Amino acid sequence: MNILDIIAKKRDKNVLSKEEIEFFIQGYTNGEITDYQASSLIMAIYINGMTDEELTYLTFSMAKSGEVIDLSEFGETIVDKHSTGGVGDKVSIILLPIIASLGIPVAKMSGRGLGFTGGTVDKMEAIPGYNTNIDITKFKENIHKVGISMIGQTKNLAPADKKIYELRDSINCVDNISLIASSIMSKKIALGSNKIVLEVTYGKGAFMKNIEDAKLLANKMEKIGELANREVKSIFTPMDEPIGYAVGNTLEIIEAINFLKGKQMPEDLKNIVLELGSYMIKLAGQGENLEENKQKMLDSINQGLAYEKFKQMVQNQGGDISYLENTDKFEKAKYELKVISDKCGIIQEINAKEIGELACFLGAGRVRKEDEIDKAVRNCT
Ligand code: URA
């Protein structure tokens, strides 16, 4: 078997075997297959698609490309959540401490932003001192100690996905159903959670531009979940406009803190958090009634429990909680420009993709994977 024959087979619209897909994933993970060879194959997959069998083989071999984590020490049910990406999406940062405050263990590995979409890890790192780069042993210790840990992807968890995702970004092959489904589900399988709530976004600021494609993507991920013995529930979120009021790492963290303190809850953000959370609680076996679950979440915020949990997690991972207590301490952008309309009217639309690209241009995101980001866009003139 060799990679050139595999590339030619996919280029010519043929179906790859399990062995060929495993050969590619193993070879690319250990460096025997080069970036340019992998790029050709990924582009051929992007153009010609994959059958359901090919997608299953791809996902499972990506999941097995590194460590597969056992979380059974936290109980029979471990609930996870993943978003297919968006602009102003600080849902995990708000939702997961609420869930943990209800006594449900939360083990969350998040990603960094790429392109115009933001990433939870970059946002959490806007809190001075907060460490997202910890190993699995410490990750588990944190969950035992405070019931929640939110970290970045370790080198060893689905390393094939890490390489392929960065490659896809640099060759403009991100928005493809097979490639997104395998990327997300390989990480979920490797992480060892058995119940997964997926936030599947669609619209201008998402990779899926319409609800039909979002449903197709969700359906593929649910089928993979079934094969892997994971219960998957998909929730569809429109992403034509940014979620909440803030876009940008520091601003989104401040918005999340204010939400957890119960100070300000933008309606769209609140609806998404409550909807996803009500299913997480249900999957965790802590409540069948979704409306009651939403009320439990609101109670946790109103009683200060969700914010307290967030503070515990931040402190436990080295973050300076004085920034949470007083958000004025966060460094802000050097320049502020108020855009005041010279006539009365109603804003009909705010294009999420354009706002995401603008934030990225100001320093909030990366254009290339090695770019440094500027959490407060301090240096922008
Ligand atoms: N999130 C992921 O983890 N992978 C993708 O391909 C898209 C969104």
Side-chain angles (χ1 to χ4, degrees), residues 82-85 161 165 168 174 176 179-181 183-184 187 207:
H82 200 94
S83 164
T84 59
D161 172 61
Y165 189 81
R168 281 164 58 206
V174 173
N176 174 273
L179 297 174
I180 295 175
S183 162
I184 291 179
K187 284 185 290 242
F207 296 128

Side-chain angles (χ1 to χ4, degrees), residues 181-201:
S182 54
S183 162
I184 291 179
M185 291 309 291
S186 61
K187 284 185 290 242
K188 299 295 103 177
I189 293 169
L191 186 57
S193 36
N194 50 3
K195 315 258 177 173
I196 302 150
V197 176
L198 294 173
E199 180 193 6
V200 187
T201 54

